[in-house]
Every structure is written in C-alpha cells, then in structure tokens.
Amino acid sequence: MSQAVPSQARVVIVGGGIIGCSIAYHLAKLGWQDVVLLERGHLTSGTTWHAAGLVNQLRASHTLTQLSRYGVGLYQTLEAETGQATGFQRKGSMPIARTDARLTEIRRMAALGDCFGVEAYEITPREVQDLWPLMDVAQIKGAIFIPGDGQVNPVDTTMALAKGARAHGVRIVEEVPVTAVHRKNGRVTGVATDQGDIACEYVVNCAGIWAREIGLMAGVNVPLYAAEHMYIVTEPIEGLPRDLPIVRDTDGCIYVKEDAGRLLVGCFEPVSKPLPLDKLPLGAEFIELPEDWDQFEMPMRNAMDLIPSLESAPIRQFLNGPESFTPDNKFIMGEAPELRNFFVAAGFNSQGILNAAGAGKVLSEWILEGQPSIDLAELDIARFGRFQNNRRYLAERTRESLGLLFQMHWPYRQVETARPARLSPLHARHVEHNACFGEAVGWERANWFAPAGVEPRYEYAYGRQNWFDYVRDEHGAVRNTVGLIDMSSFAKYLVQGPDAERELQRICANDVAVANGKVVYTQLLNRRGGIEADLTVTRLAEDRYMVITAAASQTRDFNWIERNIEDGARVYLTDTTSGSGVLAVMGPRARKLLGRVSDADFSNEAFPFASYQEIDVGYARALALRVTYVGELGWELYLPTEFMVPVFDRLLEAGADLGLKLCGMHAMDSLRSEKGYRHWGHDITPAETPLEAGLGFAVSFKKKAAFIGREALERQLETGLSQRLVHVMLQQPEPLMFHDETIYRDGVVAGRITSAAFGYGFERPVGMAYLETENGMAGEDLLKGRFEVDIAGERVPATISLKPFYDPKSERVRL
C-alpha cells in the first residue's frame, strides 16, 4: 500500500529512477525538506533497473566530465553515509581502438584528463593482454587505461539515494501516476494524481521515457524518444578474473564488463530501433522487450572476435529494455522556457547512471539559486526549437542518435537523419553551386562549396579533411576581395513598446540608449555576471529595437529576454526569424559590390561602422547593418524572404569581376578565430564574465541602469580576475586544434582550448583559451613561460597573446 499523497509541497519530483532520486537527495542535502517524489510504479521500474551501471569519468566535453567525475566521488561514499550498499567497484575502464583514427580519438580524450586530475594513460596491446587475458589483442591498435573508473549496481545505488533523501525529510510515494500539471499565469502551480492534487512551487520532470508526455501535460516540449537497448549476460565463466576493467570497444559498437563471474556485453548499434510508447503495455513496470538476435548479431560477432571465449559461453539472459534519446545526444536539463518553475532532467541517452549524481547536484542548485553553479548551456532544455518535439522527427533521428554514442566523434561530423527540416530561401541556389550542407538546430546551412565536378560530401579525419583547400579559397576571398555568406539562420526578434529602452537597459550589459540607427554589441548576464547571451541590439526607432543572435540560441535568448522583462512593462517581444533572410557581404571590395546594386552611400562618412540604414538593393528594400563576424569591411542585408533569391542573383552577377565567392560556415569559423571573435557556448558561457572574456568594452558602467550582473562585475573589478581569455596559435601547421585540448605552461596545466580552427592567413591553427591568473598574475605576466598544447598526447609549442593575431586594432572593419 503506498503512502498518502500530501495536498501540498514545495517541490514535486515526477519519476523514481536514479535521476529523480538523486535530485530528491541533493535538494534535501541543501536543506529543502518539503519535497515529494512521485513514482507511477515502483522505484527504478522504468529504465534504471536494466542499466549496465558503468561509471566513467572522462566524457566528450568539459561540462559532461565535471558531472561524471562528481558521480564517481559520491558513489564511493554513499554506502557509508546511508548504510545501503551501492555495489560500487573501482575496477577501471579501458577504451580500446581497432583503428588508427579511433586511437587518435581516445588519445585526445585521455589528454583532457590532465585538466581534471583524472589519471588516464595509453597502454600497449601487450599491456591490454595483461589486464584482460581473455582478449584477442591482435584485434586492437592500442588502448587507454583509466584506473579510477568503475561500476555500480543501478538499483542499489538508487535505493541508497532514496534512503538518503528520506533521512533528510523527503517523502517518496510509489504507485501514484501524475495525470495532469496545473499552471497559472505562466507558472506551474501543482500536479494532479489519481489520489488527489498536490499544490507546489516547483515541478521536476524526471519521468525518463515518459518525460515527453509529462511535458505535453504542462505545455512544455521535451524532445526525446525511446529506443530499444540490448545486452546479454553469460553464465558464469570458469576462471574469469573478478578485477577486469570495463572495456569500451566503440569500433565494435560494444561495451563489456565482468559481473559476478559473468560477462555482460552491451551494444550501441549504428542503426537503432526507435520505440513508440504506444507499443508498450499501459502502466507496465520493469519492461522487458522481446529478444532480437537479428539486431544484436553484428555487435555480438564483434564481441566474439574480440573475446573468443564468448563463442562457447552459454547465454544466461538477453535483456532488451527501453531507453530515451535526444536529437543531439545530450541530456535535457533546466527550467522549461514555456513554464516557470517547471524543471526537466531527462533524456540521458543511456548515460543516466554515471551522470545522475552530478545532474542531481547541479539541477538542485539551479532550483535553489535560480541558475546553475556551472556552465550547463549545452544541456539546457532551452536549446531546442519547438519543431524538435515533432514525433516523426524524433523517431527518425533516434535511429541514428543511439549509435552516435559509439560512432567516431569526428570533427565537423554531421547528423544524417531527420533532414532537411529547415531551409534557407537560398537553399536551391546553394545546391546549384555545389554546397556541402551542415545542420544546426534543423537549419540546412552551406558549410563549404565544392568546385564543379567534385562531389560535395565530407570525408572525415582528425587531420585536414577533403574540404580544407576549398575553404582556404573562401577564406581568401573574404580577406582579399569579397565573400557572400547566407546567414538566414540568424535568430531575429523585435522588442517594441514605450518601455523597450528601459527594459533593455536593465537586461543588456552595454548601453542601448543610443540614437536611432545605431547597432550595439552586448552580452546578457546572469546575477553572477556570467554570459547568458552574446548578441547585437539595433535601435530602429524610439520604441523599437531589433535583436540578432545565433541560430542555436533562438529559443534560449528569446526566453531569457522575455523572463527578465518586468511585470507590467509596456514591452512586446516578437520572434521574426522566419520572416527575413540575411546575406552577409564581407571583404575589402564589399563597398564596391554594394554600390553596384544599390544607390545608397556606403562611405564611412555616410554609413559608419556599427550603424544601420534602410536601403534599396535590386528591386527590394533591405535593412543594412554595417557589422562583421569575420573581421573585414562588410554589411549584413536583412530582406523579406521572398526577395532573397532575386537579390542573391543580382549580387552574384554584379560581383563576377570583383572576385566574389560564395562562402560557408567553415570559412566563417576560420575567419572569426583569426580575429578572436568569441563563440557563445564555447569561448563565452554562463560560467565566464565579460571581464574574464576580454569583452569589458561591451559593458557600460557609465549608464545609470542597474543591469543584471552589474554588482557581480563591479566586485570583480575590485577583487581581480581568476581567469583571462587569451588567443592561441600553434607554432607549426600540424596537428589541428578543435576544442578542449589542454594547455601547459612550463610543463604545468594552465588551461584548455575553448574553440579553434585553422587560420589560413597564418598557416597555423588558431584558437582561444582561458588561463588561470593565480597570485595576482595579470596582463603581460600572464604570457610568460613556455606554452604547449596537448593534442592526442603530442605537446605542440604554442604562442599566447592577449590580443587577437589578426588585425588587433580592428582597422580593417573600418576601411
């Protein structure tokens, strides 16, 4: 018999898997005792119970590694704290490589370990044999050993978290499904159950594969979809060592762990089996799906090739259970943009056990403090567009996303499924000009253009890929003649009303109380001074502004502005992204090209940098902004979508003898990296302030408005900076940098690369990084020492600068 359901609580957590129990545990540890966790069946009965229980420390990004490292630490102590066994065993893990490319990938992962103090080192096939006697090491090129990794029993660990939560006052009620979510004035007010309503201040959706449905009850998009996830467990194998490290054979699409004298072999096959929830029994618990040996045949053969004794080992169990996956293979966390105080922690892509502890901690802090304690932008639910909750889109993408966990994580790798979803008005023209497309939040964008006769497709590598020289030509056009870039994927908003200036002055760090026709570069900050958005604000009229931000930030930035407008303010915020396209005309001949298609005066005197005008171009009327993200003279033309193709054609014709070249996203990335223009989500995030990022010029301390984050920045000015963004250039053309490579000063870890690209203008890789400013180190003192960047185990000499390497005085943008 379940406990009685209370009539009210401060927080209601929906879902009793390891994620929900972790959040309950961490909220309680933070002092929030008025918490109720509701589970539709019994604890762990959704997907937690059939998890493999792998606990690894090094992940694909800085944020994910922070979360997983915390979990390893908590799981070591949880049994002692609660008295409930967790089954934690620190056996280590061993990613292995069957190919040279995979060896490079795992070497890069091991190199990241130094940033976190995680021991990880390369071992030879002979050393692999010593650790794993049953393995046929002739199959592998090499491996990495991470001795601090381990495994847990998922059910026991969840019960330990639940016991710890109960000990601090949390009420856990089983066999109570949530049937509705109550809301009022854009804020959650409670939930309905089959035993009555519960009024509350916060709801946390941890419903696993059912999280999308719970979200729909609240009018919230939670884009995840279930897929079948399979593993087998053998009968006990005589003589099997009990201390075998976990094997991750990502080339073989398998993982292997020893468990009580048996072997567990699981897989992430390249083409998965999406699972519509209506195919599951209504209200079922501890769901086991039918065996599918046809689906499991390929990974099982790979496992037998690697561990020949598996061929004769009897199979004790074939387990096929549902797991939830997201469109980009990253978790869904945070406060829903559609509903205040409705939080989500779901879509863990079969990584819930190893990340549950960290996710529980940071989401609890987010609820308590109103913002997370670390940068969670890559996991924030607000990153998704509404279309990404489309069921067909999710089903098709899930066929791919499960397997992407173990596929090669190539630089610039593009997803292949659920495309195309969003097209620029110029898409057909780009096809005609042999564009190779990439995908960003559903947008098909030209990443590079292949010459006539060359197939526009990627050939992935960690070195120079097949498009390398074609992008060199695009880069050169922008630097020396003129380039044309389709930026229609930019997110665009109108902020209108009598109080528009007053509200934007509070929300923006820079001064937007400017004359009509001025463009202002600014950040939007949180209370800690961290950068929540990086965008431009253009004043169109006394009561009207246009805000431009990146495609990937469309939902997130709109939500941030909307939520920070004061109640009662006479302001209207409208997303106009779909109404206009954008053509960026960039390069030293941009003025001459635009003069051929428009009678406007593009001189410095008539059209200065950081200003806008409404101009005629071809037969269209356009908003022209003199701004740049590539470090050259240029204008962005904002046109109604129906005018895009004619204006594009006219520009191509007019620029034929000027060296005009179509350019894609890769060229823009190279250009902005040379110039040191920051990329939000990599170089600047909610964890860094504008002062640390070298963007103090975009903050106005002169304006009277108490903008969000002002007090934090003023304190930082008094106390000094703990880190500072610097520009990095390798002293040799190979190998390439991408992001998250470790930087050493005189042999000691000093920071990590946040983003990088090849700088064609210097014939060297260039990027940005943060260096710690310990012991009052600042200015030029920060640059003293011998710097190296670790790339897949090779330490490459590097030059560090506080100023961008290209045009440090920004003279070219004002030509």
Side-chain angles (χ1 to χ4, degrees):
M1 205 50 197
S2 64
Q3 299 181 43
V5 172
S7 61
Q8 64 181 35
R10 192 171 191 182
V11 183
V12 172
I13 299 170
V14 182
I18 194 167
I19 305 298
C21 289
S22 177
I23 292 170
Y25 169 87
H26 284 93
L27 281 173
K29 296 281 277 189
L30 290 171
W32 284 32
Q33 298 178 342
D34 189 11
V35 176
V36 173
L37 185 152
L38 302 176
E39 164 54 44
R40 63 192 284 273
H42 294 86
L43 296 185
T44 79
S45 65
T47 60
T48 296
W49 72 275
H50 62 73
L54 312 184
V55 182
N56 308 318
Q57 298 173 86
L58 293 180
R59 310 303 297 163
S61 74
H62 182 263
T63 296
L64 297 180
T65 299
Q66 286 180 284
L67 297 181
S68 57
R69 281 195 67 230
Y70 172 79
V72 171
L74 179 63
Y75 294 156
Q76 287 182 85
T77 61
L78 195 57
E79 181 174 346
E81 176 190 341
T82 64
Q84 166 68 48
T86 63
F88 179 80
Q89 301 177 69
R90 201 161 204 163
K91 297 182 176 183
S93 74
M94 192 166 61
I96 66 172
R98 299 193 191 208
T99 65
D100 291 333
R102 185 71 73 175
L103 187 56
T104 297
E105 179 180 279
I106 64 175
R107 281 172 173 166
R108 293 180 67 90
M109 179 178 69
L112 181 61
D114 261 6
C115 277
F116 297 94
V118 175
E119 185 181 6
Y121 54 89
E122 186 172 351
I123 57 177
T124 66
R126 174 75 175 262
E127 291 169 316
V128 171
Q129 186 84 72
D130 293 339
L131 287 169
W132 245 91
L134 279 67
M135 190 181 298
D136 179 4
V137 296
Q139 301 284 328
I140 67 173
K141 298 277 187 177
I144 299 295
F145 184 55
I146 310 170
D149 289 352
Q151 59 194 59
V152 297
N153 181 304
V155 171
D156 290 345
T157 303
T158 304
M159 294 306 180
L161 289 166
K163 187 174 181 180
R166 287 190 179 103
H168 288 86
V170 172
R171 182 180 298 189
I172 296 176
V173 187
E174 299 178 279
E175 299 183 273
V176 177
V178 168
T179 58
V181 176
H182 299 313
R183 44 200 162 134
K184 185 177 181 180
N185 298 328
R187 186 178 297 269
V188 71
T189 59
V191 300
T193 77
D194 61 0
Q195 295 186 26
D197 290 359
I198 306 176
C200 63
E201 295 178 44
Y202 300 88
V203 170
V204 189
N205 178 2
C206 305
I209 62 173
W210 296 278
R212 181 176 180 272
E213 280 57 43
I214 296 292
L216 292 174
M217 291 180 187
V220 169
N221 288 305
V222 185
L224 56 77
Y225 203 83
E228 299 183 28
H229 180 50
M230 308 170 193
Y231 63 74
I232 61 99
V233 181
T234 69
E235 294 288 357
I237 298 174
E238 186 175 352
L240 185 71
R242 298 299 183 93
D243 59 350
L244 294 175
I246 299 159
V247 173
R248 295 205 303 276
D249 174 17
T250 45
D251 288 316
C253 307
I254 58 171
Y255 57 88
V256 184
K257 76 165 188 173
E258 184 277 332
D259 189 5
R262 301 181 291 266
L263 287 180
L264 181 152
V265 180
C267 71
F268 291 100
E269 63 275 25
V271 181
S272 76
K273 294 179 65 180
L275 179 68
L277 292 187
D278 55 20
K279 296 290 182 69
L280 298 177
L282 188 64
E285 300 181 69
F286 304 101
I287 300 168
E288 288 195 57
L289 303 168
E291 297 180 3
D292 189 342
W293 282 102
D294 289 339
Q295 183 75 4
F296 200 72
E297 179 183 6
M298 180 273 288
M300 190 63 191
R301 287 191 180 279
N302 290 339
M304 291 188 295
D305 287 344
L306 186 68
I307 306 168
S309 58
L310 277 172
E311 194 162 359
S312 58
I315 305 300
R316 178 176 185 171
Q317 182 183 24
F318 185 121
L319 197 144
N320 185 4
E323 292 271 8
S324 60
F325 292 85
T326 64
D328 59 2
N329 245 205
K330 296 179 181 179
F331 322 150
I332 302 176
M333 295 181 62
E335 187 179 14
E338 302 93 339
L339 186 62
R340 296 299 300 265
N341 289 0
F342 186 91
F343 284 79
V344 178
F348 280 79
N349 302 285
S350 201
Q351 301 168 71
I353 304 303
L354 72 100
N355 286 292
K361 176 179 184 294
V362 297
L363 196 77
S364 297
E365 292 167 346
W366 196 337
I367 294 169
L368 185 70
E369 300 291 337
Q371 59 193 41
S373 57
I374 65 172
D375 168 31
L376 293 178
E378 67 176 289
L379 309 178
D380 192 340
I381 185 172
R383 72 188 185 271
F384 292 112
R386 291 184 64 83
F387 80 94
Q388 290 176 286
N389 210 33
N390 177 293
R391 287 189 63 176
R392 181 172 180 180
Y393 172 90
L394 288 169
E396 292 183 11
R397 177 59 58 82
T398 299
R399 291 187 185 279
E400 178 182 19
S401 57
L402 178 147
L404 287 178
L405 287 168
F406 273 20
Q407 294 298 293
M408 283 292 300
H409 298 93
W410 295 114
Y412 310 106
R413 177 160 189 161
Q414 303 298 322
V415 293
E416 298 174 358
T417 54
R419 296 176 63 180
R422 306 170 81 179
L423 298 180
S424 158
L426 298 176
H427 183 78
R429 288 291 193 269
H430 292 328
V431 172
E432 292 172 5
H433 286 88
N434 226 21
C436 185
F437 294 96
E439 187 261 11
V441 203
W443 283 102
E444 295 292 324
R445 304 195 301 187
N447 278 354
W448 51 280
F449 291 85
V454 175
E455 184 180 358
R457 65 178 181 83
Y458 279 94
E459 295 175 8
Y460 296 117
Y462 274 104
R464 301 184 178 193
Q465 296 185 8
N466 61 315
W467 47 263
F468 188 85
D469 288 332
Y470 310 142
V471 171
R472 179 194 301 280
D473 293 340
E474 297 173 21
H475 178 285
V478 174
R479 288 282 184 251
N480 301 310
T481 56
V482 62
L484 184 61
I485 310 171
D486 180 6
M487 298 301 302
S488 297
S489 61
F490 271 162
K492 316 160 193 85
Y493 323 131
L494 283 179
V495 183
Q496 304 175 90
D499 297 331
E501 177 187 300
R502 186 192 73 189
E503 293 303 298
L504 286 176
Q505 283 287 74
R506 284 193 317 98
I507 296 169
C508 298
N510 211 344
D511 188 356
V512 299
V514 294
N516 295 347
K518 291 293 292 180
V519 181
V520 179
Y521 172 57
T522 185
Q523 285 79 46
L524 313 185
L525 310 180
N526 57 40
R527 294 196 310 274
R528 296 192 183 107
I531 301 171
E532 294 287 344
D534 182 66
L535 42 77
T536 61
V537 177
T538 300
R539 187 159 204 167
L540 305 177
E542 288 301 306
D543 61 351
R544 187 165 73 255
Y545 290 85
M546 179 173 68
V547 176
I548 306 297
T549 190
S553 300
Q554 180 178 354
T555 303
R556 193 179 193 281
D557 291 359
F558 185 92
N559 176 58
W560 184 267
I561 296 171
E562 184 177 50
R563 290 196 169 182
N564 281 291
I565 293 173
E566 288 189 337
D567 291 342
R570 296 168 298 169
V571 178
Y572 308 95
L573 179 63
T574 309
D575 189 329
T576 62
T577 301
S578 299
S580 61
V582 185
L583 282 169
V585 182
M586 297 288 154
R589 297 179 184 173
R591 180 177 286 117
K592 188 170 186 179
L593 172 58
L594 288 172
R596 292 181 175 183
V597 298
S598 174
D599 56 7
D601 185 347
F602 295 97
S603 67
N604 277 320
E605 295 74 22
F607 208 143
F609 182 72
S611 67
Y612 105 91
Q613 294 180 28
E614 190 170 351
I615 66 170
D616 291 331
V617 53
Y619 298 129
R621 194 78 173 153
L623 288 181
L625 275 62
R626 188 174 169 189
V627 292
T628 180
Y629 192 52
V630 296
E632 299 293 341
L633 171 72
W635 282 262
E636 292 173 357
L637 305 179
Y638 290 76
L639 294 147
T641 54
E642 66 268 28
F643 289 96
M644 283 288 287
V645 170
V647 171
F648 174 83
D649 291 344
R650 183 159 293 221
L651 283 166
L652 280 190
E653 181 182 1
D657 64 340
L658 296 177
L660 176 64
K661 196 167 188 64
L662 297 182
C663 303
M665 297 298 107
H666 290 344
M668 189 168 69
D669 193 39
S670 169
L671 292 157
R672 70 98 192 164
S673 295
E674 286 185 347
K675 186 64 181 73
Y677 287 150
R678 284 63 161 166
H679 183 276
W680 190 87
H682 286 92
D683 309 307
I684 47 177
T685 75
E688 293 88 30
T689 72
L691 303 181
E692 294 168 337
L695 297 174
F697 66 88
V699 178
S700 175
F701 292 105
K702 294 181 179 179
K703 69 178 182 178
K704 294 180 180 180
F707 62 84
I708 300 167
R710 179 170 187 151
E711 291 183 2
L713 295 189
E714 289 174 337
R715 286 194 300 270
Q716 198 171 54
L717 285 172
E718 295 175 2
T719 60
L721 306 179
S722 60
Q723 61 177 354
R724 178 68 164 82
L725 184 137
V726 296
H727 305 274
V728 183
M729 182 188 296
L730 295 188
Q731 293 178 9
Q732 57 194 53
E734 300 281 1
L736 302 181
M737 295 190 298
F738 303 107
H739 58 81
D740 284 331
E741 294 88 356
T742 303
I743 301 176
Y744 295 84
R745 178 197 287 115
D746 298 328
V748 178
V749 173
R752 65 182 177 87
I753 300 295
T754 52
S755 75
F758 191 82
Y760 293 96
F762 300 96
E763 287 298 322
R764 298 287 187 274
V766 293
M768 282 163 272
Y770 285 92
L771 298 183
E772 296 179 1
T773 57
E774 295 179 352
N775 304 318
M777 184 185 299
E780 295 301 319
D781 289 340
L782 192 64
L783 310 181
K784 293 179 180 178
R786 175 176 53 86
F787 289 92
E788 298 170 300
V789 178
D790 188 323
I791 301 178
E794 176 186 356
R795 293 194 184 180
V796 182
T799 300
I800 308 294
S801 172
L802 287 171
K803 296 180 180 179
F805 295 107
Y806 184 78
D807 190 23
K809 296 182 179 179
S810 295
E811 294 170 331
R812 292 185 63 83
V813 302
R814 294 176 170 84
L815 286 175

